[in-house]
Structure formats: C-alpha cells, structure tokens
Amino acid sequence: MAEQYADPSTFSMDSFRLDGKVALVTGASYGIGFAIATALAKAGAKIAFNDLNPEKNEMGVKAYANEGIDARGYVADVTKIDQVEQLVKSVERDLGPIDILVNNAGIIKRIPMLDMSAEDFRAVVDVDLNAPFIVSKAVLPGMIEKGHGKIINICSMMSELGRETVSAYAAAKGGLKMLTKNICSEFGEHNIQCNAIGPGYIATPQTAPLRETQPDGSRHPFDQFICAKTPAARWGTPVDLMGTAVFLASDASNFVNGQVVYVDGGILAYLGKQPA
Ligand code: NAP
Ligand code: GCO
C-alpha cells in the first residue's frame, strides 16, 4: 500500500545533495554540458565527461580544475557502441558505478529541408537521438543492479516546435522526448527516473552563428527575434540550467518521471508580441 500517511518531517534539504554519486555527462568540456556537470559537482557528485575532440577534452579537464572540480575526461564518440561500452567501463573502473547519466552531447545542421541530404539528416539523428539510446542502454544494467538511477536527456524547444532549416534536429529532439517517456515507462519499477531538460535559446558555441553582429554593426535579426519571443527578453545562459539539473539528478525528484522541464524564459508559454 502506498505511503499515504508519509511523515513530512522526514523531508530534508539534504535530498537535493548528490554526495558520493557518480555522474557521467556526455559532451561536457564546455557549453551546457560543462555547466550541468559543474552544478552536479557543486552538489557533491563525482564527475566523468566525454567529448570527441582530445584537445577540447584536455581543455575541459583544466576548466573543471579551475572550478576546483577533479573531473575525469574521456575521448569517446557517443554514436559508436564499442566506444560507449569502453567509456562506461572506464568510468566504472575509475569512479565506480554510474548513478546519474546526462545525455547532453548534440549537434545541429541548419539546412533548409529541400537542400538537406539524407546523410546529413542521419548524422544529426545519430548524435541527438540514437546516441542517448546507446549510452542509456550501456548504463541501465548497472542502475538496475544498484536499484536506482537518474537519466537526464537534453531536449530542446524543437522537441515541441518546428522552424525553417532544423528538420533533422527537430525530428531527433522530438524523438528524444518520447525516448525519455519510454525509459521512464520501462524502468520506473527499478527506481530509475528518466526526465529531460528542454533549454530555451542558450548562448553557447552551438548558437553563436545566430548571435553574430552584422557587418553594419547591428544585432543579428535572429538574436532580436529570440529576445522578442522570450518573455524574459534575453537569451539564456548555461547557468540558467544548473538548478534544474541538480533537482532532476537528486532524490528530491524521485517521484518525477518521464517529464520534460522546459527552462526557456517562458518561450513556450508565449503567443508572441501583439502588433503595435
Ligand atoms: P555545443 O556548445 O555545440 O557542445 C556540444 C558538445 O557535444 C561538445 O562538447 C561536443 O564535443 C559534443 N559532441 C558532439 N558530438 C559528439 C559525439 N558524437 N560524441 C561525443 N561528444 C559529442 O552545444 P551546447 O549548446 O552546449 O548544447 C548541448 C546540448 O544542449 C545539445 O544536445 C544541444 O542540442 C542542446 N541544446 C542546446 C541549446 C542552445 O540554445 N545552445 C538549446 C536547447 C538544447 P566536441 O567539442 O569534442 O565536438
Ligand atoms: C536553432 C537553435 C535551437 C537551439 C535550441 C532551442 O537553430 O533554432 O540552434 O534549435 O539550439 O535547441 O531550444
């Protein structure tokens, strides 16, 4: 029978802490992944991360050290099953079984659909959708064995909305939302929670082309469009995502499962500015 009369005095702010937990954050030497891993470390977790590029990986290790975080960096392509299996083995050997997985690594190709090759479409879906499946599959047996686990997928505004030039990205991020719900459905009974964060428009290298100053010194039209479309009237920063990441990685969210938490400054709630 459910704990209908559970005692609220048993709740402690410590349930937001992650002391002793091992977290693997993919694609996290900079950008959103770096901020999320930093937040998890500040809450007490031991951090492992991976990237494709060895130099960026090394820079990442140094960047964590500058924050006082002893993060382990690995070079691995999240779309390659053998590399992911090796990555998970290495993390388990170096830090212990993985309690928290953040599927953050992602790419975008902004190409109008009629100009996009099937190869480019597949490449985006491979990193943004197939890889979260591959990495989750590699960590789930360990989580089942331990009797708990947290998987956080990084979705997007494009899990809900479309726009010109991002057909592959929107298809992948929409699929990732449903993979989130399915992992919740299939593994909830093992005390595994799979949720997602849906960031709004966040200033990182991925979105830098959309914020470039124009040759005449004016702001990029897309930059102006996003500020007008966002009730907060600004781009988000990776820091805006840190609190939600800690919550979803912690015991404080143990009955939250299969959800996408949109951290978007209000974009999805807003119809847009009425004409003057
Ligand atoms: P970013 O600055 O482009 O960083 C992406 C990271 O993913 C890099 O560290 C990159 O590693 C890594 N990566 C790419 N392909 C990989 C692969 N095959 N294997 C391993 N690592 C790989 O992106 P970001 O803006 O921080 O975005 C992070 C996540 O948030 C992505 O999933 C993105 O779609 C999502 N997101 C971003 C925004 C936004 O506005 N920025 C909004 C919503 C969602 P290398 O540097 O080694 O290539
Ligand atoms: C784009 C952007 C977006 C953001 C983000 C929004 O070209 O529209 O890159 O897709 O990166 O995912 O949440």
Side-chain angles (χ1 to χ4, degrees):
M1 163 117 185
E3 283 299 319
Q4 196 175 356
Y5 306 108
D7 178 359
S9 71
T10 58
F11 176 77
S12 154
M13 288 304 285
D14 287 347
S15 64
F16 288 90
R17 295 286 314 169
L18 303 175
D19 300 286
K21 307 274 188 198
V22 173
L24 169 61
V25 185
T26 66
S29 57
Y30 58 92
I32 288 174
F34 179 79
I36 287 178
T38 300
L40 303 185
K42 281 176 188 274
K46 291 184 263 182
I47 302 300
F49 72 98
N50 76 294
D51 276 286
L52 271 182
N53 180 303
E55 286 93 50
K56 286 186 188 161
N57 197 277
E58 240 170 69
M59 279 170 53
V61 172
K62 287 189 187 132
Y64 285 107
N66 286 341
E67 299 290 326
I69 299 164
D70 179 21
R72 300 292 178 107
Y74 305 84
V75 176
D77 182 338
V78 287
T79 67
K80 304 278 188 289
I81 296 171
D82 53 340
Q83 293 187 30
V84 168
E85 283 171 354
Q86 187 52 52
L87 167 69
V88 170
K89 270 193 200 135
S90 304
V91 175
E92 288 178 349
R93 178 198 63 213
D94 297 342
L95 298 178
I98 296 165
D99 302 285
I100 300 158
L101 165 67
V102 183
N103 282 310
N104 169 78
I107 60 168
I108 190 166
K109 289 178 190 274
R110 298 183 187 96
I111 305 171
M113 184 164 154
L114 295 183
D115 298 332
M116 189 170 216
S117 65
E119 196 184 20
D120 275 337
F121 191 94
R122 282 197 194 100
V124 173
V125 173
D126 213 19
V127 182
D128 293 356
L129 179 57
N130 292 341
F133 165 78
I134 290 168
V135 187
S136 300
K137 202 176 152 196
V139 303
L140 275 162
M143 290 179 170
I144 292 168
E145 204 179 316
K146 276 190 98 167
H148 75 80
K150 298 278 185 182
I151 298 179
I152 302 171
N153 293 325
I154 305 303
C155 281
S156 164
M157 294 291 88
M158 272 63 217
S159 299
E160 300 294 337
L161 303 169
R163 83 173 189 86
E164 303 80 358
T165 75
V166 296
S167 57
Y169 186 78
K173 293 293 187 178
L176 186 58
K177 174 178 75 173
M178 290 313 300
L179 179 65
T180 302
K181 291 176 191 285
N182 213 82
I183 293 174
C184 151
S185 307
E186 212 164 329
F187 300 100
E189 66 180 324
H190 296 285
N191 190 26
I192 291 167
Q193 289 84 46
C194 181
N195 292 290
I197 297 175
Y201 278 80
I202 310 294
T204 68
Q206 192 202 70
T207 52
L210 305 175
R211 281 175 284 105
E212 260 169 18
T213 307
Q214 299 301 280
D216 65 0
S218 64
R219 284 167 59 205
H220 194 297
F222 198 87
D223 176 8
Q224 299 183 40
F225 165 65
I226 286 304
C227 292
K229 180 77 189 103
T230 308
R234 65 169 174 89
W235 285 70
T237 71
V239 175
D240 288 314
L241 307 170
M242 292 168 80
T244 307
V246 170
F247 170 63
L248 292 178
S250 74
D251 286 345
S253 62
N254 278 352
F255 206 53
V256 180
N257 210 351
Q259 301 300 310
V260 184
V261 181
Y262 289 100
V263 184
D264 66 351
I267 296 178
L268 288 178
Y270 186 39
L271 190 57
K273 219 172 257 314
Q274 63 181 340

